[in-house]
C-alpha cells in the first residue's frame, strides 16, 4: 500500500512534455524506474529548500542502447542532491527558494565533452539555470553530478 502511495505522489510530482501513448515500452519502463529513483531525493530537496520543485523529463528521447544497465534516474537524483546540499547554507536556501522553480533532467541535447576538458567540465556544461528551471542534460559519462550541480547553481545565483 505504501509503495503505491509513494508512486502516486511521484506521478503527480513529475510531468512530461508529451503524451504517454507516444512512449515505446522501453521508454515507459525507464520513466517508471526514473520516477521511483528520484522520489526520495526530490522530497528531500523540497523539504530542505522549502520549495515545491517538480521534475520534467523527455522520455521520448530515452535510448536504452545509450544507457545500458545504468540507472538514468540516479543521474537526476544526483542533481537533486546537489540542490539539497546547497540549501544547507541559509543564504543559498533563500536564493534557491526564490529563484529555482523547477528541474528538468533531459536525455536530448547533451553537449559533448571537449578535448581539453577537465574532470568536471563536460558535466558542468550540461547543467544550467534559466528562467527558474535547473536543467541537467544527462549522460552516463558525467561525473560528480551532485557537486557539479551545486557549483553551477551557486555560480548562477551570484
Amino acid at each position: 500500500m505504501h509503495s503505491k502511495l509513494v508512486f502516486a505522489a511521484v506521478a503527480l510530482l513529475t510531468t512530461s512534455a508529451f503524451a504517454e501513448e507516444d512512449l515505446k515500452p522501453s521508454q515507459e519502463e525507464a520513466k517508471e524506474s526514473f520516477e521511483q529513483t528520484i522520489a526520495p531525493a526530490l522530497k528531500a530537496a523540497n523539504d530542505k529548500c522549502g520549495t515545491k520543485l517538480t521534475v520534467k523529463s523527455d522520455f521520448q528521447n530515452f535510448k536504452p542502447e545509450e544507457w545500458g544497465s545504468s540507472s538514468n534516474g540516479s543521474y537526476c537524483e544526483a542533481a537533486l542532491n546537489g540542490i539539497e546540499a546547497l540549501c544547507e547554507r541559509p543564504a543559498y536556501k533563500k536564493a534557491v527558494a526564490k529563484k529555482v522553480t523547477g528541474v528538468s533532467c533531459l536525455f536530448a541535447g547533451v553537449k559533448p565533452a571537449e578535448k581539453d576538458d577537465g574532470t568536471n567540465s563536460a558535466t558542468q556544461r550540461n547543467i544550467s539555470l534559466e528562467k527558474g528551471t535547473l536543467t541537467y542534460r544527462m549522460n552516463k559519462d558525467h561525473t560528480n553530478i551532485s557537486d557539479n550541480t551545486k557549483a553551477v547553481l551557486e555560480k548562477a545565483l551570484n
Side-chain angles (χ1 to χ4, degrees):
M1 176 75 181
H2 177 70
S3 63
K4 287 182 183 176
L5 287 174
V6 169
F7 183 74
V10 173
L12 293 173
L13 294 173
T14 59
T15 57
S16 304
F18 53 89
E20 292 295 320
E21 62 270 10
D22 293 343
L23 294 181
K24 297 173 183 166
S26 61
Q27 293 167 332
E28 287 181 25
E29 286 179 348
K31 182 178 188 284
E32 185 175 319
S33 171
F34 178 93
E35 289 176 345
Q36 289 176 348
T37 299
I38 69 164
L42 179 59
K43 182 181 183 322
N46 279 327
D47 288 350
K48 176 72 81 176
C49 298
T51 53
K52 293 181 178 157
L53 301 174
T54 58
V55 175
K56 294 183 180 185
S57 194
D58 58 345
F59 291 96
Q60 75 277 20
N61 292 314
F62 172 79
K63 294 177 178 67
E65 64 275 9
E66 289 180 8
W67 286 88
S69 62
S70 297
S71 166
N72 58 70
S74 66
Y75 289 74
C76 188
E77 174 186 35
L80 292 167
N81 291 340
I83 296 169
E84 178 189 5
L86 192 58
C87 287
E88 290 174 8
R89 297 161 61 187
Y92 283 97
K93 176 179 179 175
K94 194 164 75 175
V96 167
K98 186 176 179 181
K99 296 184 179 180
V100 181
T101 56
V103 177
S104 290
C105 292
L106 306 176
F107 295 98
V110 175
K111 297 171 186 161
E114 295 177 2
K115 189 172 68 170
D116 58 347
D117 273 352
T119 307
N120 298 311
S121 300
T123 305
Q124 288 187 11
R125 196 171 16 267
N126 284 284
I127 302 169
S128 62
L129 178 65
E130 294 177 35
K131 297 179 183 168
T133 300
L134 177 89
T135 300
Y136 170 41
R137 297 185 181 281
M138 302 181 293
N139 183 290
K140 68 178 184 168
D141 295 330
H142 289 160
T143 58
N144 304 320
I145 298 161
S146 180
D147 289 342
N148 282 315
T149 300
K150 186 177 164 185
V152 169
L153 191 52
E154 185 176 2
K155 185 176 179 182
L157 293 173
N158 277 304

